[in-house]
Amino acid sequence: PASCTSVTSSRPASPNQGDTTTPTPHTDSPGITGPTVLQHALQKKRKRKSLPSVDGGGEGGPGGEGDGTERTTPRQTGSLAAPGTHDDAITRMKNVELIELGRHRIKPWYFSPYPIELVTLPCIYICEFCLKFIKSRTCLERHLTKCNLKHPPGNEIYRKSSISFFEIDGRKNKVYAQYLCLLAKLFLDHKTLYYDTDPFLFYVMCEADGKGYHIVGYFSKEKESSEDYNVACILVLPPYQRKSYGKLLIEFSYELSKFEGKTGSPEKPLSDLGLLSYRSYWTHSILQVLLTVRGGGEEGEPPSITINEICEQTSIKKEDVISTLQSMNLINYYKGQYILCLQKDLLEKHQKELGKRIIRIDSRCLHWTPKDWSKRSK
C-alpha cells in the first residue's frame, strides 16, 4: 500500500459532546447519526421554503432579510448553506476520526453526514478520483481496479504546468457533486449539507502527475445568481493549505467573471478567514490597477481613474472595491473630490507579497465559454 502522510489540523477543535457551555437537550448518541442529521437538514429545508422570511436574519446578510418581510429574490445560499443559529449544534459535532484520501491521511475538523456504519470505523477510505467512500483499504484496492476515473468528471477548462481546473455540472454529475459536498463538509464549520446540487457548478482544482489528477480544492457557484455571486463555497484541502492555492481559486473565480464580462463577489456573509483571504486578493488586484494607471499617465497631469473603471478591469464588485480602499485608508476627500493616496510602505508590502506568489492564473490557458443558464434547462 502507498505511504500516507498524516496531517494535523491547524484549526480550533470543533464542539464535542462533552462541551457543557451550550445546553443541547436531545443530543444523545443516537441523535447524531448520519441519517438523523440528513433528515434534520431536509426538514429545515422544507421549513425554509414554507416560511415567508428567513429565521435568524439578524446576522446582517444581504437584502435586509431580518425585517420579517417576504423574500422575493432566489435563495442566497450555496451548495453548503449557512444554517440558523439555534438548532444546528448537532450538525457541528465532529463525527469522523480519520479519512484517507490518496496518499494523505487527514483528521477532519467538523461533522459530515457519512453513513453511520462508516462513522463508527477508525478510518474512512475515499477514492481520490471519484470521491466514493469505502469502509476498508481492501475494499478501496478492489474499487481502484474497477474505477475508470483518473480525473474529476466534467470538462477540463484550464491547464498550465501541473495545475488543472475541471468544471462539473451539479445536475449532470450529481453523484460526484454530492460526494464532493460530503468531503467538503468535514472541513467547513457552520454549514448544513444539502443534496440539491442541480443549480450549481463546481470548479475542482487538481495537481497532475503520472498517476492522475489529484484534488487540491474547489469552489462552487450558482448557475444563476440574482446577486452576481461568483462563489458559493470555497475550500482548499488541509494537505494543500498554506501554498497560495486559496488565492489561486479566488483568482480563477474572478477570471471566469472577466470572461463573462461582469463583476462578481463571493456569497455573503464571509467567515473571518474568508474575509481575510478575499481582502488580500482584492487589495493586490486593485493596487496592480492603480500602479498601472500611475505609470501610464500623461506628463504633468495627475493620473485619474474611476471606481467603475477599477471594477471593469478587475471584475470585483463596486461595494468590495470601496470597502477595500477604505480598509487600506487610501481614499481621501480633498478640495471637492476624492483622491487616492498610495503610501510607500503599502507598495513595498504589495511587491513583497507578489514575490511570494509563484503560481498565478494565466488567462491564455483558460478555454471556456460562458453559458446563459436562463435560456437552457439547468
Side-chain angles (χ1 to χ4, degrees), residues 213-351:
Y213 292 77
H214 310 280
I215 181 171
V216 169
Y218 88 104
F219 68 88
S220 61
K221 64 183 287 188
E222 290 182 289
K223 294 174 181 175
E224 291 183 273
S225 173
S226 61
E227 301 289 330
D228 287 332
Y229 291 139
N230 62 2
V231 166
C233 282
I234 186 168
L235 172 72
V236 177
L237 292 172
Y240 300 97
Q241 292 179 358
R242 302 182 184 277
K243 296 181 180 181
S244 294
Y245 284 136
K247 286 191 177 73
L248 201 67
L249 282 169
I250 294 172
E251 186 178 357
F252 190 77
S253 71
Y254 278 103
E255 200 62 47
L256 295 182
S257 294
K258 290 176 184 177
F259 269 62
E260 291 173 313
K262 59 185 182 183
T263 60
S265 182
E267 193 172 280
K268 307 297 193 306
L270 286 168
S271 66
D272 292 341
L273 289 173
L275 180 59
L276 281 174
S277 298
Y278 267 95
R279 185 57 59 74
S280 174
Y281 172 80
W282 292 334
T283 299
H284 294 305
S285 296
I286 293 169
L287 284 177
Q288 282 289 96
V289 172
L290 296 180
L291 289 174
T292 304
V293 172
R294 189 182 71 165
E298 295 182 13
E299 191 173 343
E301 290 289 326
S304 64
I305 191 171
T306 66
I307 297 292
N308 286 337
E309 286 172 340
I310 296 176
C311 295
E312 288 172 11
Q313 293 185 44
T314 61
S315 281
I316 301 173
K317 211 164 187 182
K318 191 173 183 178
E319 305 90 84
D320 297 329
V321 171
I322 294 171
S323 69
T324 302
L325 290 173
Q326 290 172 338
S327 72
M328 293 189 291
N329 293 320
L330 287 185
I331 195 163
N332 295 287
Y333 193 71
Y334 179 73
K335 291 187 177 179
Q337 63 179 351
Y338 286 99
I339 60 171
L340 297 174
C341 302
L342 296 177
Q343 292 94 0
K344 186 178 179 181
D345 57 342
L346 180 64
L347 296 179
E348 289 174 353
K349 183 181 178 184
H350 167 65
Q351 294 296 341

Side-chain angles (χ1 to χ4, degrees), residues 223-224 260 369-378:
K223 294 174 181 175
E224 291 183 273
E260 291 173 313
T369 304
K371 299 180 179 70
D372 187 352
W373 293 99
S374 63
K375 295 181 180 178
R376 60 173 67 205
S377 61
K378 299 172 185 61

